[in-house]
Amino acid sequence: MEKSAETSLCICPKFEKAFMILGKKWSGLIIEVLLTGDRRFKEIAAEIPDVSDRVLVERLKELEEKGIVIRTERTEGLVKVMYGLSQKGKDLEVVMKEIQNWSDKWITVET
């Protein structure tokens, strides 16, 4: 079935951009971990054991640049870098719950 110019679907550029951010490997899992609270780098890495440190650094920087993740340095005693979600990131909680609901219904985990 051929699509004519009149019937072709135009995907919203904002929707497309959102999927480019959230669809990047590991980004969704990082957000899911941070929805439970601020974490240190090693704590995030421990909760997502298959991600390499290099890729985790890249994804955290990308999410920070997009305003989804906030990186803060706490200087009481030893310097401690923490990662958390901005309000923009926290607003993804509803989306993440809906993805979980969908995956519970439709996705099987093969072992």
Side-chain angles (χ1 to χ4, degrees):
M1 184 172 149
E2 288 184 43
K3 288 184 181 179
S4 69
E6 293 177 28
T7 62
S8 71
L9 177 66
C10 180
I11 296 176
C12 171
K14 289 182 177 184
F15 184 83
E16 182 179 1
K17 191 168 184 176
F19 261 90
M20 289 176 69
I21 295 167
L22 299 176
K24 205 163 202 180
K25 191 169 184 177
W26 308 114
S27 293
L29 295 179
I30 293 166
I31 292 166
E32 184 69 17
V33 167
L34 293 177
L35 279 168
T36 62
D38 294 359
R39 298 279 190 282
R40 294 179 72 176
F41 181 88
K42 287 296 179 187
E43 293 170 328
I44 299 168
E47 292 193 47
I48 311 172
D50 292 337
V51 66
S52 70
D53 285 353
R54 181 187 63 78
V55 172
L56 183 54
V57 166
E58 286 176 12
R59 292 300 173 271
L60 285 167
K61 283 182 181 177
E62 290 168 359
L63 291 169
E64 185 180 5
E65 289 169 1
K66 301 293 183 193
I68 295 169
V69 168
I70 298 171
R71 180 185 185 274
T72 56
E73 289 186 24
R74 299 190 180 158
T75 55
E76 317 89 46
L78 296 174
V79 174
K80 188 189 286 189
V81 176
M82 300 292 289
Y83 295 91
L85 294 175
S86 65
Q87 189 57 53
K88 183 177 180 179
K90 290 175 184 175
D91 281 353
L92 288 166
E93 186 170 14
V94 174
V95 174
M96 300 303 276
K97 283 182 181 177
E98 286 302 316
I99 292 171
Q100 183 65 60
N101 291 339
W102 180 85
S103 65
D104 288 344
K105 182 176 180 179
W106 295 104
I107 303 297
T108 59
V109 179
E110 305 298 324
T111 55

